[in-house]
Amino acid sequence: MLAYYLIGVGLTMLAVAAAQLLQRLKLKRRMCVTNGRIIGWRQRRDLLVDRRRSNTFYNYSKIIEFEDAGGRGFVFDSNVGYPLPKCPAGNVVRILYDPSNPAVAYEDSGVAFWGFASGLLLLGILSLISGLSLT
């Protein structure tokens, strides 16, 4: 029974990952590249709980501003988190943005743009292999 569950979960993850990858490929084709500037870091609290104690950890993401081709300014939070701020405010980073909707923007890095879909693809493959090995 566990084998079929793992196979089902793996196939579902692979389907969602494939849809995400196709969506990202389509988006990547029409995106524009520009430079943005880090204007600060957003601190988010991550709470990890175990049986003995609760630990609070913090995750930091870049707050980035950029201008589109028309000169309009936008600000967004990078979707990549770090345990500590990695670089000072004022540093320049490459930005990908959708020209039809510049509010949709990403830091131009593999993790920021492809990370979720790639991680889901890997987990789907591992789940599928685990399920198939149990049959």
Side-chain angles (χ1 to χ4, degrees):
M1 188 69 176
L2 177 62
Y4 296 115
Y5 174 76
L6 288 172
I7 291 170
V9 168
L11 290 173
T12 302
M13 287 181 170
L14 289 174
V16 172
Q20 278 286 315
L21 288 170
L22 287 174
Q23 184 261 347
R24 295 288 184 184
L25 284 170
K26 288 179 185 175
L27 188 59
K28 180 91 173 174
R29 284 188 194 145
R30 71 172 186 261
M31 292 192 103
C32 294
V33 178
T34 190
N35 287 326
R37 189 172 58 88
I38 300 170
I39 59 173
W41 289 84
R42 185 159 331 274
Q43 181 185 52
R44 292 190 176 92
R45 194 175 89 160
D46 290 333
L47 182 64
L48 299 178
V49 180
D50 63 25
R51 292 182 196 154
R52 295 165 289 180
R53 64 183 184 276
S54 295
N55 293 317
T56 302
F57 296 94
Y58 293 96
N59 186 358
Y60 298 86
S61 62
K62 297 172 189 170
I63 304 170
I64 302 170
E65 70 177 1
F66 72 97
E67 290 184 356
D68 68 359
R72 295 178 297 167
F74 295 89
V75 175
F76 73 98
D77 285 9
S78 174
N79 58 348
V80 178
Y82 301 94
L84 293 170
K86 288 186 74 170
C87 53
N91 277 18
V92 174
V93 292
R94 284 175 42 105
I95 302 300
L96 295 170
Y97 72 92
D98 184 351
S100 63
N101 183 9
V104 176
Y106 300 92
E107 186 178 352
D108 189 12
S109 74
V111 173
F113 198 74
W114 301 105
F116 175 74
S118 300
L120 199 57
L121 182 68
L122 179 64
L123 288 174
I125 290 169
L126 291 175
S127 180
L128 188 59
I129 290 170
S130 298
L132 291 173
S133 69
L134 292 174
T135 58

